[in-house]
Amino acid sequence: MTSHTIGIDLGTTYSCVYTCSGGGERLIPAADGADLTPSVVYFEDDGSVSVGAEAKSHVQDDPDNVVVGIKRQMGREFPLQFGNEILTPEGISAVILKRLAKDASNALNCRTSDLKAVITVPAYFGVAEKEATHAAARIAGLECLELLAEPVAAGYAYGAHKDSTTTSLVFDLGGGTFDVAVIGIDQGTPRIWAVDGETRLGGLDWDARLTDILWEQIEHQSSDSEDLRADEEFVGELSAAAEQIKRQLSQSMSAPKTMRYGRQKFSLSVARGVFEEATRDLVLQCGQSVERVTAAARTLGAPHIGRALLVGGSTRMPMIRDYLARSLNLPVEINDPDKAVARGAAVLAEHLGRPTLINRPSEVERITPVLPRSIGLYIHSSCEPWRPEPYILSALTANTPLPIAHHEVSVATILHNQERARIRLYEQGGAVVSERPEDNRLIFDGEVSEIPQASGGSEIKLLISVGMDGRIAVTARSRKNKPLPMECFIEGVLDDSEVARQTQAVAGLILAD
């Protein structure tokens, strides 16, 4: 049977699937016919599991068995137990991917095993988060052609890879993550010039501020606020109300809402101005990333930015467009922001999934991505200039174009006849590069063995490679260029045995229609 390609935007709050198989873009609807699938999972007592709108409906009545926003936990140790099964963020994300794949196979009249997917990830996701997303696809049994940075996917959707005259700022504010990137042409080739962002900033944070505003109003109208806060069902209803009010405020200057608790009735109302004032710091946080990314792009020689492209459902908030228009003085374009990332992923998926023919020019000019965060090596001083404390030696700088093949970094042994050496790579943890280990995040931990006997200070060559999708590989060689064995793991990523266990656990769940 012919394979079909799809693009998946695996979002924090909503997910979306598109295909370009068969010619032309086509949205893959959710099981209930909606355009988007809520990234929510609900575990039934009987071992079945639902994903999407049905799962979201249980947030209020059975919150202990509902998982929301699991994308924010990718690349972290965050086990959750449901029944007799312990599922990792990768396993829960795999359940969402299985739902999306099933919907796609139904729409395309094929088996899920015939699907090939490009799955998007935030550009500012680190190595661990990307590896975790790839593991989720493996657990779901879905062939992943590539992990694609969301701003790059947006670039395909907006046609930035075809526009040789305009450099664009992609502002991608989703439900739980935020990316900003500069896309343009470099010597005839489309590329990302620079990226920045926050992996834990998105619409959920605006929802939380609205929820705080609503609680303040309720406390003025009730003497039982402590009982209300202890009632999980009412708390769930209030969270849902906050999301609804946020959507209303994108269209109206105020949003009224009536809520009940027993015999109590609460008349609530939020004005857009009050909401904007309560979330001003969040907008400014986005603005700091914009300032950093535009400065980095200028330093790298990017052409003048000519427009801002909005991506992600949270960019529908007027405060976002107003901020960009004021701060950048650029035309702002917004075109179906909830689906742009999935559309762009589908464009690339069709290109990657098509058999390569000799002498046929590519129909899709690849947008060159970049390394989102600097990567450095954990170093103990062994020679002058000696330093008393370990530090991070820069190996790869942020915004280096990908892929990176066998970038060589030389280090040295400390002891005479040293047979083994621990190799640790750290990823930039904050907004700026720092040599302090505590300001960085461990991503790669390995041990090189069989080092040839030599005096202290003997050279070891590390060859670091980073693929187009940001996944990392490291090898080691002796000073005479002999390959050295290395045992290693990527911090926060499941090993093969745990992937197998999660695969078995997810396969045992009955996916409800």
Side-chain angles (χ1 to χ4, degrees), residues 7-210:
I8 297 178
D9 175 9
L10 184 62
T12 308
T13 53
Y14 289 92
S15 294
C16 183
V17 185
Y18 254 82
T19 183
C20 291
S21 285
E25 297 173 358
R26 176 185 172 190
L27 173 74
I28 301 295
D32 61 357
D35 290 352
L36 305 176
T37 301
S39 302
V40 182
V41 182
Y42 175 63
F43 293 88
E44 302 271 8
D45 293 336
D46 62 1
S48 63
V49 60
S50 60
V51 177
E54 171 61 25
K56 192 174 181 180
S57 69
H58 292 286
V59 169
Q60 298 173 18
D61 61 55
D62 192 10
D64 291 341
N65 288 311
V66 177
V67 182
V68 179
I70 195 62
K71 184 173 178 177
R72 283 190 162 182
Q73 306 303 332
M74 294 294 273
R76 292 175 168 81
E77 187 174 345
F78 192 77
L80 294 170
Q81 183 163 358
F82 299 96
N84 296 323
E85 295 292 350
I86 296 177
L87 293 175
T88 64
E90 293 91 335
I92 293 168
S93 294
V95 174
I96 299 172
L97 286 172
K98 287 189 73 170
R99 174 75 268 170
L100 301 175
K102 185 175 182 180
D103 293 341
S105 66
N106 290 339
L108 297 172
N109 193 28
C110 68
R111 299 171 301 186
T112 55
S113 58
D114 296 320
L115 296 173
K116 296 181 178 182
V118 167
I119 302 173
T120 63
V121 291
Y124 217 54
F125 251 15
V127 169
E129 291 95 330
K130 290 172 183 173
E131 289 287 349
T133 304
H134 197 273
R138 287 176 59 193
I139 294 166
L142 180 62
E143 182 177 351
C144 179
L145 292 169
E146 190 171 300
L147 299 178
L148 180 65
E150 290 169 4
V152 180
Y156 288 126
Y158 275 98
H161 58 302
K162 301 175 183 178
D163 190 342
S164 61
T165 61
T166 306
T167 299
S168 303
L169 177 88
V170 176
F171 187 100
D172 182 357
L173 184 61
T177 59
F178 170 59
D179 280 332
V180 61
V182 176
I183 298 181
I185 303 297
D186 182 18
Q187 299 180 354
T189 301
R191 63 163 289 184
I192 297 283
W193 284 96
V195 298
D196 208 296
E198 300 282 350
T199 57
R200 299 180 68 83
L201 177 66
L204 291 173
D205 300 289
W206 273 261
D207 292 349
R209 297 294 176 83
L210 262 177

Side-chain angles (χ1 to χ4, degrees), residues 123-124 180-182 191-197 292-300 368-375 396-402 404 428 431 433:
Y124 217 54
V180 61
V182 176
R191 63 163 289 184
I192 297 283
W193 284 96
V195 298
D196 208 296
R292 288 194 300 266
V293 81
T294 52
R298 282 195 302 270
T299 300
L300 294 168
T368 301
V370 296
L371 187 70
R373 303 166 184 261
S374 66
I375 292 176
L396 294 169
T397 59
N399 298 317
T400 299
L402 299 178
I404 299 167
Q428 173 187 339
V433 176

